[in-house]
């Protein structure tokens, strides 16, 4: 009796796994916006230190390498789900860093590869190696996934100032001695303008 049961469970797992794999969109085909919301592709789940990035050549999410080893942030784990706004590119010719626009989604941890609709509540502007690096700060559009109740920067700054300062401190210190300079915070309208500015043609 055990063999058929194991066989059935294995079959169910394989069917379930293949369904999940086939329904996951290719991040390169996902639009920056969907209806009234932005879309975010999550590379690094909240609560991990592994520097995971989407590899456009292999179309896989891979741990970034440093001297032949997985790159792990030598600091506190990421305070939110970190990734990028798809279909954006911060052109170096226009003052960008050559990557997609970064996003930090404040919610419980979600798996790498998750594509979620989000509401921007602000933008944190950093100076990293003499380049301006903008981080969109967002919450999930789905109320069931929200851990804070702030849909604009003013509410975020007033009700969750401690959270805002934690995010600021984290980005300022996670690279250690390299140091990242905080330039300023901007509101949700600025965040939306940044997405429009860096959308791919």
């Amino acid at each position: 009796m055990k063999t058929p049961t194991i066989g059935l469970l294995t079959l169910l797992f394989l069917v379930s796994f293949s369904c999940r794999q086939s329904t996951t969109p290719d991040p390169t085909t996902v639009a920056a916006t969907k209806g009234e919301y932005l879309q975010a592709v999550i590379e690094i789940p909240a609560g991990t230190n592994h520097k995971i990035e989407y590899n456009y050549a292999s179309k896989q999410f891979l741990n970034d390498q440093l001297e032949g080893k997985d790159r792990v942030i030598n600091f506190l784990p990421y305070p939110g789900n970190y990734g990028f706004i798809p279909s954006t590119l911060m052109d170096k010719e226009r003052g960008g860093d050559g990557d997609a626009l970064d996003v930090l989604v404040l919610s419980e941890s979600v798996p790498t590869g998750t594509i979620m609709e989000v509401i921007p509540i602000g933008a944190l502007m950093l100076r990293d190696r003499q380049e301006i690096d903008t981080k969109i700060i967002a919450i999930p559009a789905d109320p069931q996934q929200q851990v804070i109740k702030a849909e604009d920067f003013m509410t975020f700054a007033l009700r969750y100032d401690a959270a805002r300062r934690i995010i600021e401190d984290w980005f300022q210190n996670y690279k250690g001695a390299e140091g990242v300079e905080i330039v300023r915070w901007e509101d949700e309208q600025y965040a939306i303008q940044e997405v429009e500015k860096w959308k791919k043609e």
Side-chain angles (χ1 to χ4, degrees):
M1 292 296 290
K2 287 184 179 178
T3 305
T5 304
I6 292 170
L8 180 60
L9 289 174
T10 303
L11 179 62
L12 287 172
F13 171 78
L14 289 172
V15 169
S16 171
F17 182 76
S18 64
C19 287
R20 283 201 302 271
Q21 290 293 96
S22 62
T23 57
T24 302
D26 177 350
T28 61
T29 67
V30 176
T33 57
K34 186 176 181 181
E36 62 184 301
Y37 303 119
L38 299 183
Q39 296 203 89
V41 177
I42 303 305
E43 296 170 300
I44 306 170
T48 186
N49 287 52
H50 285 262
K51 188 74 171 74
I52 301 165
E53 294 184 346
Y54 182 71
N55 185 299
Y56 289 86
S58 67
K59 298 192 174 183
Q60 292 178 301
F61 291 90
L62 303 172
N63 209 119
D64 191 27
Q65 299 292 298
L66 183 63
E67 297 177 359
K69 296 180 181 177
D70 285 353
R71 185 176 165 203
V72 179
I73 301 299
N74 185 23
F75 193 58
L76 297 174
Y78 277 78
N81 296 290
Y82 189 79
F84 61 92
I85 304 295
S87 298
T88 63
L89 179 65
M90 299 179 72
D91 296 316
K92 288 195 172 185
E93 294 176 359
R94 294 196 289 146
D97 63 4
D99 294 322
L101 190 57
D102 296 325
V103 63
L104 182 74
V105 183
L106 307 180
S107 71
E108 290 188 11
S109 184
V110 299
T112 295
T114 299
I115 297 172
M116 58 195 309
E117 295 171 18
V118 300
I119 300 168
I121 60 171
L124 176 58
M125 296 184 69
L126 311 170
R127 183 172 284 108
D128 187 2
R129 289 170 292 192
Q130 303 308 310
E131 292 179 336
I132 294 297
D133 188 9
T134 303
K135 310 294 185 186
I136 302 298
I137 310 300
I139 62 169
D142 181 356
Q144 299 299 316
Q145 293 182 300
Q146 294 174 4
V147 295
I148 66 170
K149 301 299 179 187
E151 294 193 4
D152 58 71
F153 182 71
M154 185 66 71
T155 305
F156 178 54
L158 292 175
R159 285 192 194 167
Y160 303 97
D161 185 58
R164 185 183 64 81
R165 285 185 282 114
I166 287 168
I167 292 166
E168 192 174 290
D169 285 345
W170 192 88
F171 277 112
Q172 195 166 17
N173 292 284
Y174 83 109
K175 286 193 174 181
E178 278 186 47
V180 174
E181 180 188 345
I182 304 297
V183 178
R184 67 179 183 274
W185 282 89
E186 293 284 356
D187 66 11
E188 69 281 0
Q189 291 303 319
Y190 182 91
I192 293 168
Q193 288 169 10
E194 281 291 280
V195 173
E196 290 299 320
K197 176 182 176 180
W198 300 111
K199 265 187 188 177
K200 290 181 185 177
E201 295 296 332

